[in-house]
Amino acid sequence: MTLVLRVPLRNAWLYGDPRQVIYPRNSTGMYCGIGENQGKPNVLYYDLLKCVTGTNILAAAMNGLQCPTTQVCVEKCPTEFMWAISNDSPAKVYNQEYCQPSINLTITNLTVAEIAAKELCPVFLVPSTSFFNRCFPGSNLTFPADFSINGLTGNQSKANISEAASQILDSFNFQNVGKKIFEDFAKSWPWIITALVIAMVVSLLFLILLRFTAGILVWVLIVGVIGVIGYGIYHCYMEYDTLNKQGVSVSDVGFTFNLGVYFRVKETWLAILIVLAVIEAILLLVLLFLRKRILIAIALIKEASKAIGHIMSSLFYPLVTFVLLVVCVAYWGMTALYLATSGAPIYRISTVNTSLPGCENITGNETCNPMTFSPSSSCKEARCIFQRYNNEGLFQTNLFNLQIYNVIGFLWCINFVIALGQCVLAGAFASYYWAFHKPKDIPFFPVAESFMRTLRYHTGSLAFGSLILTIVQLIRIILEYLDHKLKGAQNPCTRFLLCCLKCCFWCLEKFIKFLNRNAYIMIAVYGKNFCVSAKNAFKLLMRNIVRVVVLDKVTDLLIFFGKLIVVGGVGVLAFFFFSGRIPIPNDSFKSPALNYYWIPILTVVLGSYMIAHGFFSVYNMCVDTLFLCFLEDLERNDGSPEKPFYMSKSLMSILNKKNRPPKSEEKTKKK
């Protein structure tokens, strides 16, 4: 794993320059805000008209917002109108702050027209605001009555500049939206945090109460599902009976793409009725024949709640996983940024006006060095300006391959961090199950001890399991890329083959995640390598496949219900609060006036889901660990004094008598 991470990181940090993203450049390619331009963080465009007519604004945004006009670094953007008057002195017409450093207005011999032709100073300035350190004009410009430039009439210049400003603002219209969203967050963040704390408390209470209410909840949910399907059967029958009496049949409709039409014929409701009836019958048969295994699943769920009650620190381990995931994302993002900015700046010879005498042959394709460049005698207006970053050369042409290499390392790191969390939690909960006298024999710091034990002995196994999952995920990414590229292909065979491959590898990824999860539990319990642990876990689960399916589905049902309570309850509460639908007499507890009240609501819903997912992922891992330990306990021990069960009394009370023979019978058998 170290080698995979080292190669793109070394090359990226050797050749990359993230300042290209952070700081803007002026026409000479120098960064604004650092170095020689310290204290001048903003870049000013001399001629806004060229920013719109000379190049597409979105294309310019992809190339550092470079426009075919002079750009200088300034301390602050202009706040008032200014325009050049040709019959006045340069010192009175222009502002030295916004001119190029190469000209001194107090001693120059150039006229106003010559300065304008060489773009040494801006011909006009309009009130602007800094956006991503670029000076863009404000909206609703009100021009002075005598505003006129470039020999144009006042109205024409005003119209052109207003149109250019409007186009730029339209291209970046998310600026105002972003400010409003930021204002909403600034006003509502205390209430957002309060809602997230409520979500955390509700999640914790739900897990603790499962110790006492798991059985009731499971049977209520099962009966509820059966009841909903039963109502569906009744509703379908009533619709079918009504349409049957009306004599409406599918033969009267024929084939149509309007799916709503098919719900007006009796055959549709009959088909749905049959499907629901089959599902209902299967559920009733499963409930009848697997009720014992459902009781075992309920007992394991209660036992998991007890285990979490004794190891409360396990509920906060997802924070460790979250921090490690943030580190992985930060590493990937920084490496990708350095790789993307590894090209050297390219400067080309350009001119303000190619129609000037001697400037006809300047095409903008000839490179130059801004430090040594001097204009030729034939074209005095020629300049050496920054154009783009180099994307040629051996290193630059392989940037895509290095980015893929970086993605592989990113996926591997993410999967390793998740595997580490699963193994640590499995070790902590396994120490609970295999404690003969609970809670006396439970380690004092089970999560910390499991974390150190995992880092010391099991990192190789976790890395190997993560690598297998990463390879499958990489194949899925490649298939998605091929599917995106071949969307316009008319070959149905190719489309069908890609669809089948995507489906197969999706199933393979799910299976490997399931197998890895149980392999990590066996690694935490026995300390064997990944392959042996995966083989033993798979064989153990296959010998108890019915119990596995029942426990998995019952647990999924409970966790779904828990997430629904947390996210749905907190989300509905946030909606009524932030929309002002809850009457609160005290103004201190009223919702603040917001521009978009759905912003804090979405934040609360997303945050509540992440909190609930973190808590319930620990609970799910606890159930899976206790289940595998329970199966191992059944196969290794028989309940005799020589081989006693480690399971709790509640689990032993519902076992089949064949799995726990009474001691008197065992003594008789021995005699």
Side-chain angles (χ1 to χ4, degrees), residues 569-584:
V570 177
V572 170
L573 179 63
F575 171 76
F576 280 98
F577 176 77
F578 287 111
S579 61
R581 303 190 182 189
I582 299 179
I584 301 177

Side-chain angles (χ1 to χ4, degrees), residues 336-399:
L337 179 62
Y338 271 90
L339 285 173
T341 58
S342 58
I346 294 179
Y347 301 89
R348 297 193 185 276
I349 299 176
S350 178
T351 182
V352 179
N353 189 354
T354 56
S355 62
L356 295 175
C359 300
E360 299 88 352
N361 297 325
I362 296 180
T363 60
N365 296 323
E366 185 179 354
T367 59
C368 58
N369 187 343
M371 304 303 296
T372 60
F373 174 78
S374 60
S376 62
S377 58
S378 59
C379 184
K380 294 292 185 180
E381 287 75 18
R383 296 171 299 152
C384 183
I385 66 171
F386 166 74
Q387 185 194 38
R388 59 182 176 85
Y389 296 102
N390 183 28
N391 56 4
E392 301 173 355
L394 179 62
F395 179 74
Q396 281 72 27
T397 54
N398 287 280
L399 282 180

Side-chain angles (χ1 to χ4, degrees), residues 597-609:
Y597 69 86
W598 49 268
I599 291 294
I601 294 175
L602 289 179
T603 305
V604 167
V605 170
L606 181 61
S608 300
Y609 176 80

Side-chain angles (χ1 to χ4, degrees), residues 448-503:
E449 290 184 12
S450 178
F451 182 78
M452 298 305 298
R453 185 170 59 248
T454 302
L455 287 181
R456 183 176 180 182
Y457 297 108
H458 307 319
T459 51
S461 297
L462 301 182
F464 183 71
S466 304
L467 176 61
I468 296 174
L469 182 58
T470 300
I471 293 173
V472 175
Q473 290 175 338
L474 183 64
I475 295 174
R476 287 196 63 203
I477 292 174
I478 294 173
L479 290 175
E480 290 290 344
Y481 175 77
L482 292 176
D483 183 55
H484 177 73
K485 289 295 183 181
L486 297 175
K487 274 187 176 180
Q490 302 299 324
N491 190 341
C493 183
T494 304
R495 302 286 298 166
F496 175 76
L497 180 62
L498 270 176
C499 184
C500 291
L501 287 174
K502 288 168 59 178
C503 180

Side-chain angles (χ1 to χ4, degrees), residues 28 121 128 135 162 165 225 237 327 338 355 378 478 509 540 560 569 585 601 613-614 636 640:
T28 61
C121 293
S128 305
C135 293
S162 297
V225 171
Y237 174 77
V327 172
Y338 271 90
S355 62
S378 59
I478 294 173
E509 182 183 358
L540 182 63
F560 172 76
I601 294 175
H613 180 73
R636 287 168 47 182
S640 64

Side-chain angles (χ1 to χ4, degrees), residues 41 110 131 227 263 277 312 358 364 396-397 415 424-425 449 451 470 481 520 563 576 613-614 642 667:
L110 298 176
F131 182 55
F263 287 97
M312 292 294 291
Q396 281 72 27
T397 54
N415 291 326
V424 168
L425 291 175
E449 290 184 12
F451 182 78
T470 300
Y481 175 77
Y520 299 147
K563 288 182 179 179
F576 280 98
H613 180 73
E642 294 78 12
K667 292 179 180 178

